[in-house]
Amino acid sequence: MIDSKYQYLKKLTKQLYNMKSTKVDKELDGTTPPSVFIGSYNYPKVFAGPLLTTAYEDSSIMDQPERWITTNTSQEEIIGYRLNLVRGKQTIGITDLENNYVEKLQEITMAKTSVTSEAEFNKKPRGMTFSAENAPHGPSAELKKFDIDNFKWEHQLEKTYYDTDLKAADAVEILHKKDIPFTQIQKAFSVGTMGEKDNRKLVPTRWSITAVDTIIADKLLENVKYYPQIDTYRVYEYTSLNNYYAILEIPTPWQFEWMEAFLGVKGRNLIFTDYERNKGKKEYSRVGGCYYTSKMAVLEQLSKEKKQAGCIIFREANEDYIPLGVFNVRENVRHAMSSQPKEFETMRQSLNYIETKLKLTVDDFRKASDLLDEVLKERQTTLDQFF
């Protein structure tokens, strides 16, 4: 299923390449938000480098998804930010951390604010990149030279950087508990600034996003599984960036299903789903990073409330949707979970409400689902036995 989803999203993003990204020459003076990008092509030798802009003022908003949703930033504004970021890159072995270039990348991921930077490229940067997992960016080229000015490090990131006996997963958990923004944790993780000294390495950006989502979710779930279950059906919802999300929590032990529908794809609708029962998921999700990031966002809320529930998420992306990266899912689901839920006495009542907000029917989702279908069958069997 993941192949068909990515094939669809690849076709969708091809239509976007008539957009204009920023034009720069072989030299660029400006700032990095701070931001880095590590590619996965040719792993374990990868293209690694900063994302840069010609802006000298604070450019942090260009790479802070946590701020985009809470300030109602539009899809067009986000694309504008991202296409103004130029990707510089050099080929680096993933364990080659003891060199000046990688050290600069590590330093900027731990910066408190945007960092003044100078870059010289081998040729003029060209192109742009959109993807389902990563936020888009503008043109790219190999770097001939890269320099940064002095700046202050974020204190908590500095502490985990110098603690070379601390495991990476424990460092991620500590930083999350200290309310360091997810994207900042993920960027620092991707350039090898945390973990035991001999285990540190560069991690491709796409992989590091899923890794950090998974680490946080697994740590939260260790406790959530022992909390008391909710006693009603709850619906959290949010509409943003051409997506509608309905998060249904049900009074059961932890179980989870992610369902996403893409509407109006050549006259038809595509639905992709994946799920786990109480024991969790061992294999990589067939729907990719959206699964892990939505799961993490739900577990954050349950952990804060010290409650346990099953969860089924309905997502509809309408015809104007553009892939912007999994931050879109994480921050929208987080925003939904921070709102006051609507509560219902029965599963049917909650689904009837959700259906009033969907363009598709609940039955359309049920036909593509595993968990939703199983839960509804279980409840019907129970009712049949009762009567």
Side-chain angles (χ1 to χ4, degrees):
M1 186 181 289
I2 193 169
D3 290 336
S4 58
K5 178 185 172 182
Y6 280 127
Q7 285 165 7
Y8 156 64
L9 292 173
K10 195 172 179 182
K11 285 180 184 175
L12 186 60
T13 54
K14 273 187 180 177
Q15 302 168 23
L16 308 175
Y17 281 84
N18 58 357
M19 291 184 175
K20 304 269 189 206
S21 63
T22 189
K23 289 187 177 180
V24 291
D25 216 322
K26 288 172 68 176
E27 294 184 356
L28 187 158
D29 292 347
T31 57
T32 175
S35 187
V36 296
F37 189 89
I38 314 293
S40 57
Y41 174 74
N42 205 36
Y43 188 88
K45 290 199 171 212
V46 295
F47 280 122
L51 294 177
L52 307 161
T53 176
T54 54
Y56 270 105
E57 64 273 12
D58 180 16
S59 59
S60 59
I61 188 64
M62 292 183 171
D63 200 32
Q64 285 188 344
E66 292 87 352
R67 288 167 61 188
W68 297 341
I69 303 303
T70 56
T71 55
N72 294 314
T73 306
S74 71
Q75 183 170 270
E76 292 70 30
E77 287 174 310
I78 292 169
I79 292 170
Y81 290 150
R82 300 301 301 181
L83 294 189
N84 276 292
L85 287 174
V86 180
R87 180 187 172 196
K89 54 190 180 183
Q90 285 186 8
T91 303
I92 303 287
I94 60 164
T95 57
D96 186 16
L97 304 186
E98 302 290 330
N99 72 59
N100 184 254
Y101 177 69
V102 173
E103 286 171 0
K104 287 175 187 173
L105 298 183
Q106 291 180 327
E107 287 175 14
I108 63 177
T109 65
M110 294 186 286
K112 272 192 163 186
T113 58
S114 54
V115 179
T116 303
S117 312
E118 294 179 11
E120 184 179 348
F121 302 96
N122 288 329
K123 58 183 180 181
K124 284 185 182 181
R126 297 188 181 280
M128 67 179 76
T129 299
F130 283 85
S131 103
E133 303 289 333
N134 310 312
H137 62 72
S140 64
E142 289 198 51
L143 282 166
K144 185 175 182 181
K145 185 180 175 185
F146 175 57
D147 287 312
I148 53 177
D149 279 357
N150 294 328
F151 56 88
K152 287 186 177 180
W153 286 6
E154 205 295 321
H155 178 60
Q156 296 298 333
L157 289 168
E158 183 178 5
K159 282 176 68 176
T160 55
Y161 173 70
Y162 283 116
D163 191 344
T164 54
D165 295 321
L166 185 67
K167 291 182 178 179
D170 294 333
V172 167
E173 182 184 22
I174 289 167
L175 293 167
H176 181 251
K177 284 180 176 177
K178 295 286 186 180
D179 293 325
I180 303 301
F182 179 93
T183 46
Q184 200 165 11
I185 299 172
Q186 172 265 313
K187 285 180 283 192
F189 181 94
S190 74
V191 292
T193 67
M194 56 188 79
E196 295 169 308
K197 185 176 182 182
D198 293 339
N199 294 334
R200 293 187 178 190
K201 61 185 177 183
L202 300 178
V203 181
T205 296
R206 180 164 67 89
W207 302 354
S208 69
I209 293 169
T210 296
V212 174
D213 273 321
T214 301
I215 289 167
I216 295 171
D218 287 350
K219 294 286 188 182
L220 293 171
L221 189 55
E222 286 175 7
N223 292 322
V224 167
K225 279 187 175 182
Y226 296 99
Y227 292 146
Q229 294 173 26
I230 61 173
D231 55 10
T232 59
Y233 294 83
R234 301 175 175 179
V235 177
Y236 299 82
E237 58 186 330
Y238 191 60
T239 301
S240 172
L241 300 175
N242 297 302
N243 287 266
Y244 170 71
Y245 298 85
I247 299 98
L248 170 61
E249 288 185 344
I250 60 178
T252 69
W254 170 258
Q255 51 188 336
F256 178 76
E257 184 164 45
W258 165 257
M259 302 189 292
E260 55 186 346
F262 298 94
L263 306 181
V265 183
K266 294 186 176 178
R268 64 194 184 102
N269 304 310
L270 300 177
I271 301 177
F272 303 100
T273 72
D274 201 3
Y275 78 110
E276 65 187 62
R277 285 293 200 174
N278 192 250
K279 291 183 179 178
K281 174 175 284 295
K282 291 185 170 60
E283 73 284 359
Y284 184 71
S285 174
R286 62 197 182 204
V287 295
C290 291
Y291 183 89
Y292 301 97
T293 206
S294 59
K295 174 183 169 180
M296 188 277 286
V298 170
L299 284 165
E300 276 186 328
Q301 178 266 339
L302 287 171
S303 178
K304 284 175 187 171
E305 197 179 356
K306 290 187 165 43
K307 291 288 187 182
Q308 180 176 188
C311 179
I312 298 170
I313 300 182
F314 300 77
R315 173 204 189 183
E316 278 188 342
N318 70 30
E319 293 86 344
D320 296 321
Y321 163 73
I322 292 176
L324 296 173
V326 297
F327 86 82
N328 192 352
V329 170
R330 180 188 311 105
E331 298 310 320
N332 277 303
V333 174
R334 274 177 158 177
H335 202 70
M337 301 309 294
S338 69
S339 66
Q340 191 68 26
K342 290 181 171 59
E343 296 194 55
F344 301 90
E345 291 299 317
T346 68
M347 181 111 174
R348 179 49 58 193
Q349 288 171 345
S350 61
L351 291 174
N352 285 345
Y353 172 76
I354 290 170
E355 191 162 68
T356 67
K357 298 301 191 76
L358 296 171
K359 293 183 179 178
L360 301 181
T361 66
V362 166
D363 200 50
D364 290 328
F365 280 93
R366 182 178 180 177
K367 287 173 184 174
S369 79
D370 292 286
L371 184 59
L372 175 62
D373 186 54
E374 286 178 21
V375 171
L376 287 171
K377 283 176 180 174
E378 285 169 4
R379 272 149 182 69
Q380 187 59 50
T381 301
T382 303
L383 284 170
D384 289 346
Q385 289 172 347
F386 183 78
F387 289 108

